[in-house]
Amino acid sequence: MKAQVVVTLKTGVLDPQGKAIENALDTLGVSGVESVRQGRYFEVELDGTDRAVAERTVDAMCKQLLANTVIENYRFDIVD
Amino acid sequence: MKAQVVVTLKTGVLDPQGKAIENALDTLGVSGVESVRQGRYFEVELDGTDRAVAERTVDAMCKQLLANTVIENYRFDIVD
């Protein structure tokens, strides 16, 4: 099984990387963009076929390692 | 409108960050994980309501700035 994990900054947390991308888009002449927020993405290959076990594993992984839950949110999908 | 963009390394491209996460998970005692690949994620707020225009804008943005198409793939969803 595979998990697709997305970690994003919580609302209100400053995102200098996103701001830099907005500025670069302006410079490149790409218009129509209001704002950009950057996050992180992980693809995790899991052993086993039990979806509930996979969800517990990925949730533990996010809490302990992948996300800083003080300033970041995480969400994930388990895909087969 | 909002676009959710995911940029991932192409198959075969080495991913030292992913390997470091695998090692850290081992150290933490999280089992059942076969492999981890790290990517990047962007949330882009767009002006306008035309989905076709939004798709063209985001595609241009990915090609020019967000992804290095030599070693990375990108995909995106437009959500309302």
Side-chain angles (χ1 to χ4, degrees):
Chain A
M1 268 187 302
K2 189 152 90 170
Q4 299 176 324
V5 183
V6 169
V7 178
T8 52
L9 287 169
K10 288 185 179 175
T11 312
V13 177
L14 289 178
D15 177 13
Q17 286 184 297
K19 285 284 164 223
I21 293 167
E22 288 172 24
N23 295 340
L25 288 171
D26 266 352
T27 309
L28 287 169
V30 177
S31 62
V33 177
E34 215 164 84
S35 73
V36 180
R37 302 273 288 169
Q38 178 157 12
R40 295 195 310 285
Y41 174 81
F42 305 92
E43 275 183 2
V44 183
E45 284 287 344
L46 296 152
D47 298 330
T49 56
D50 186 333
R51 177 174 285 261
V53 170
E55 282 180 4
R56 277 202 301 278
T57 303
V58 176
D59 196 64
M61 196 184 306
C62 289
K63 283 209 178 84
Q64 289 182 70
L65 187 68
L66 300 183
N68 174 356
T69 55
V70 178
I71 56 165
E72 291 172 328
N73 294 320
Y74 64 87
R75 62 178 190 270
F76 60 86
D77 288 317
I78 308 283
V79 292
D80 293 320
Chain B
M1 270 188 297
K2 189 153 90 171
Q4 299 177 326
V5 182
V6 169
V7 177
T8 53
L9 287 168
K10 288 185 179 174
T11 313
V13 177
L14 289 178
D15 179 13
Q17 285 184 298
K19 285 285 162 220
I21 293 167
E22 287 172 24
N23 295 341
L25 288 171
D26 265 353
T27 309
L28 287 169
V30 176
S31 61
V33 177
E34 217 163 84
S35 73
V36 180
R37 302 273 289 170
Q38 178 157 11
R40 296 197 308 287
Y41 174 82
F42 306 91
E43 275 184 1
V44 183
E45 284 286 346
L46 297 153
D47 298 330
T49 55
D50 186 332
R51 177 174 285 258
V53 170
E55 282 180 4
R56 276 201 301 278
T57 303
V58 176
D59 196 65
M61 195 184 305
C62 289
K63 284 208 178 85
Q64 289 183 68
L65 187 69
L66 300 182
N68 174 356
T69 53
V70 177
I71 57 166
E72 291 172 328
N73 293 320
Y74 64 87
R75 61 179 190 270
F76 60 85
D77 289 318
I78 308 283
V79 291
D80 293 320

